[in-house]
Amino acid sequence: MTDDYEFTIDCAYCEDPLMVVTGANAQAWKRDAAAGGHAVSCPDCGCKYAIIDDGVSVEMGGGIIASNISAPRLDSLDIASGSATGGYVIVIRGSALDVGTLVVKFGGKDVLNITNRTKTAARVTLPQGQYKLDVAEVTTPGFIVGEGIYGTDSGARGVVKSIKPFVVNAPTLPFDPNEEVVGVASGSRLVLSGSPYSGAVDVTVENEHGQRVVGGAVLNGFTYV
Amino acid sequence: MSRAIVDGQNLPTAINNASGGGFSGVFGAFGGDGSLGAVVISGNTETFGTKNYTTLTVNNGIVLTATARRLLVIKATTSITLVGTGSIHADGRGLEGLSGGADGGDQDLVGNPALPETAVGVACSAGGGGGGGGSSASGPTSLSKAGGVGGAGADRSDIFLAGGGGAGGPGAPSNGSMSANGITGSIGVAANLAPDRIRFTDTGDLLLWPNAVGGAPGGGGGGGGAGDGAGSGTVFGGVGGLGTLQTGTGTGTGIAGGDGDDQDGGPTEGGGGGGGGAGGAGGGIILIECDGDLTIGTGRISADGGTGGVGGDWGGGSSSQPDAGAGGGGGGGGGGGIVRVFYTGTPTNVDPAHVHANGGIGGAGGVGVLDNGFTSGDGGVGNTGEDGFTVTSQVVL
C-alpha cells in the first residue's frame, strides 16, 4: 500500500481549485468514494462535484474522479418579453447548463425545444404563454380547470389552468380592465379588477440534480404580451 | 453555553485508562491511519463517516459540513487547521422538522368549502408550522378560523437525541367581532436523554451510542388567526413552514410560514392569518481526533441547532376592515447536537467560543396589523432550543 497518490479538483466553470490532496492512498480514496465520499461545491459559482471511483484498478493507475453533479443556474435571458403565442427562440444564460438532462420552464410549462447547449448558454423555444388574472369578484362560482373562457368585452379566449390563483393558458388576446369573464362549460362568471392581468412568469431551469434555490429561477423574468 | 458531557470525571484519565490499554483498544490508533493523505479544502464540502487524513486544512471562508442525520468522524495524524473563518460544522444536521400545516382557506373560487367553517388551520407533523387561519368570507355565516397548532419538535423513543428543540411561538389572535385566535406551537422533545449514554465508560464511546442523531428540531410556530370577512371574497391563511433535511452549507433554519392571503383583493375582506414558521433542525454530531496541533482561526467547530423559521405575515386584507389577519408564530430553535474534540498537540482557540453545540434561536413572529383601532397582533417569537453536548480535551498518549 503506497501513499503517493495525489489529485486536484477544480471547478469546471471558475477553474478555481476546490480540493488538493497529496500523500494519499488511492485505494483508501476508492473505499471512501464507495462509502459516500465527499461532495464539494464551488464557493464562487455554486457548482457541485461528487468524488467517485474512476472504475480503473489502482494497479492500472486508477483512483478517483470528480463527477459534475451541479444543478443548473440561470442568470439571464437575451429577450425579456414576447408574444403569448409562443413558438419563438430565445437564449438563456447561466452555468452548468450542459449537465444532465436540462429542463427549462416558463411559467411552469416546459419549453418546446432546447438546442445549442454549452456550459453557460442554451437556445430554447418558448411554449404558449399564460396570464394570471386578478379577480375583483366571483359573481357565479363554479369555474372548472381545463374549461375554455372568454372575456365579454375584449373577446379574448383562453383555458383555465388553475383557480387559485386564477391562471389562464394560451390566451388569444389581453383581457380588458373590469370586464366580465365567462366559463364556457360551467357558465360561471367573474369580474376582473382594474389591473386585470400580469403576463410575467418565472423562468426555471433544473436537471436530475435539482434546481438551485439561489440562481435557479429568474422570478418574473419573462413577460408574455 | 454547551453542557459539559462528563460530570465529575477526570476526562483524560478516563479516556486514557479505557479498556484495551488506552485509545488503541477502544478507538483504534488515535488520529487514524492518515490514508486519505494531506487534504486542503477550498470548496465547501459535505461528507460523513470516518475520514483519515494526515493533515486537514479548511481554508478561509470555507465550511466542511456533516451530512444530515449522519455521524462525521474526522481523524488526523498530524494536524488540523481552520484558516480564518474556515469551519467544520454539523449545524442543523440532526433531526429536521417535517411537514407544515395546510393553509386555513375557507372557500376557493369555485365556491367549494376547503375546510368546515369551524375548523382551525390544519396542524402538522413534527417541527412544521401550523397553518394560518382562513375566513368564511362568502359562506352562509361569517366566522373566522383560528390558526393551526405547530407540530411538536420530536417525539421519538427509538433514537438518542441531545438537545431538545424549542417550543414554537404562538400565532397571534386576530382582534374583532368574528375573528379567531392563533394556537401556539409545541415544544421539541429531548427524548432518551439517558445519562449512561453520554459518558465515556470502559466499554462505550460516542460511536457506540445506538441511533444517535444529534439534536431535536424545534417546534413549529402556530398559525395566526384570521380576520373576519364580511364580504363576498375569499380569504386564505398562510401555509405552515416546512422542515427540510439540511444540505450544502446551510445551518438548518426552518422554512418561513407562508403569508396569509386576500385572494380577491375585494373591499370587504379581512386578511388571512400567517402560517407558523417551521422549527429549526437539530444539530448533528462531529467527533474529532487530532494527533497533533489543532488550530481554529475565527471559525468554529460546531453542531448548533438551526434557527426557527419566521412566521408568516397577515394577509393584506382591506384597510377599512377591523378584523385583519394576525401573524404566525416563529418556529422554535433546534436543539444542539454533539461535538467531541480530542487532540494531543497545541490547541489554538479550542474554547467554548469556537467549539459549541448551542441550541438554535427561535424564529421571529410574523407581522399582524393595527387597523381601525383593532390590533391583530404579531406572532410570537419561537423559543431557543436546548443546548447539546461538547467535550474538548488534550489527550496524553
Side-chain angles (χ1 to χ4, degrees):
Chain A
M1 182 159 123
T2 58
D3 294 327
D4 57 356
Y5 184 62
E6 59 185 41
F7 64 90
T8 300
I9 297 174
D10 296 328
C11 177
Y13 306 94
C14 304
E15 300 182 354
D16 294 332
L18 304 179
M19 179 180 285
V20 178
V21 176
T22 57
N25 180 273
Q27 198 62 52
W29 273 99
K30 282 180 173 287
R31 287 194 299 270
D32 185 72
H38 298 67
V40 186
S41 298
C42 176
D44 294 327
C45 72
C47 288
K48 188 175 181 181
Y49 307 87
I51 297 177
I52 63 172
D53 194 324
D54 66 1
V56 180
S57 70
V58 173
E59 291 74 19
M60 297 295 290
I64 56 89
I65 56 173
S67 173
N68 191 340
I69 56 170
S70 303
R73 189 178 87 181
L74 181 59
D75 293 331
S76 65
L77 314 172
D78 70 337
I79 298 173
S81 64
S83 167
T85 57
Y88 46 93
V89 176
I90 72 169
V91 177
I92 64 172
R93 299 188 187 282
S95 62
L97 299 177
D98 59 331
V99 178
T101 303
L102 182 65
V103 176
V104 182
K105 295 182 178 180
F106 281 65
K109 297 175 69 174
D110 288 356
V111 297
L112 303 178
N113 196 18
I114 303 174
T115 60
N116 298 78
R117 288 174 62 189
T118 69
K119 289 181 178 180
T120 56
R123 293 165 62 87
V124 299
T125 305
L126 266 62
Q128 279 190 314
Q130 63 186 29
Y131 293 148
K132 183 170 72 174
L133 297 174
D134 188 37
V135 178
E137 185 175 10
V138 180
T139 50
T140 308
F143 283 95
I144 303 168
V145 172
E147 76 169 320
I149 60 165
Y150 64 92
T152 55
D153 296 331
S154 66
R157 292 180 174 275
V159 177
V160 177
K161 179 185 178 186
S162 72
I163 305 296
K164 175 183 176 288
F166 198 69
V167 177
V168 176
N169 266 338
T172 57
L173 294 168
F175 289 82
D176 287 347
N178 304 309
E179 80 169 315
E180 188 174 47
V181 173
V182 180
V184 174
S186 65
S188 301
R189 292 172 178 268
L190 58 77
V191 178
L192 299 179
S193 74
S195 301
Y197 75 92
S198 167
V201 295
D202 296 340
V203 184
T204 62
V205 293
E206 60 185 292
N207 62 18
E208 56 269 44
H209 304 300
Q211 182 184 84
R212 295 200 201 184
V213 175
V214 177
V218 175
L219 299 177
N220 294 322
F222 189 84
T223 301
Y224 285 111
V225 295
Chain B
M1 179 68 69
S2 302
R3 291 175 287 176
I5 195 167
V6 181
D7 295 328
Q9 294 187 40
N10 182 326
L11 182 61
T13 301
I15 294 167
N16 290 308
N17 291 339
S19 69
F23 263 98
S24 61
V26 178
F27 305 107
F30 183 82
D33 62 15
S35 57
L36 295 180
V39 175
V40 178
I41 293 175
S42 301
N44 297 316
T45 301
E46 182 173 331
T47 189
F48 63 94
T50 301
K51 307 300 172 187
N52 288 282
Y53 307 115
T54 54
T55 64
L56 171 64
T57 303
V58 180
N59 275 332
N60 183 40
I62 301 300
V63 291
L64 173 60
T65 58
T67 300
R69 293 187 170 196
R70 304 297 293 267
L71 185 69
L72 175 58
V73 182
I74 294 175
K75 300 186 177 187
T77 58
T78 304
S79 65
I80 295 175
T81 304
L82 309 184
V83 180
T85 61
S87 295
I88 300 171
H89 82 72
D91 297 348
R93 306 305 167 108
L95 280 179
E96 77 282 7
L98 299 177
S99 58
D103 70 66
D106 177 63
Q107 297 190 105
D108 58 25
L109 284 178
V110 300
N112 296 318
L115 290 169
E117 290 179 2
T118 55
V120 300
V122 177
C124 57
S125 301
S135 170
S136 61
S138 55
T141 57
S142 188
L143 292 173
S144 298
K145 295 176 183 174
V149 63
D155 187 12
R156 299 280 296 271
S157 60
D158 58 331
I159 53 178
F160 175 85
L161 296 166
S174 178
N175 193 355
S177 60
M178 295 180 180
S179 56
N181 293 339
I183 297 178
T184 188
S186 300
I187 194 168
V189 177
N192 271 352
L193 198 56
D196 62 351
R197 297 187 179 188
I198 57 173
R199 290 179 179 170
F200 292 93
T201 71
D202 59 359
T203 58
D205 171 53
L206 290 171
L207 291 170
L208 302 179
W209 289 354
N211 302 320
V213 294
D228 174 28
S232 60
T234 307
V235 175
F236 290 86
V239 178
L242 173 68
T244 55
L245 201 65
Q246 188 64 69
T247 61
T249 60
T251 55
T253 299
I255 303 298
D259 295 340
D261 186 15
D262 173 25
Q263 172 63 30
D264 291 353
T268 56
E269 293 87 33
I285 304 175
I286 292 178
L287 313 179
I288 291 178
E289 291 179 12
C290 178
D291 192 4
D293 297 343
L294 175 57
T295 303
I296 304 174
T298 57
R300 70 191 190 279
I301 298 173
S302 63
D304 297 342
T307 301
V310 177
D313 297 338
W314 76 293
S318 168
S319 60
S320 65
Q321 290 298 299
D323 293 357
I338 299 168
V339 177
R340 186 201 71 181
V341 178
F342 293 159
Y343 52 91
T344 59
T346 302
T348 301
N349 290 333
V350 183
D351 54 39
H354 298 84
V355 181
H356 43 80
N358 299 329
I361 61 174
V367 177
V369 67
L370 174 62
D371 211 3
N372 276 4
F374 292 90
T375 301
S376 292
D378 299 345
V381 178
N383 291 301
T384 299
E386 188 179 18
D387 289 340
F389 300 95
T390 60
V391 57
T392 61
S393 183
Q394 188 172 42
V395 175
V396 180
L397 297 177

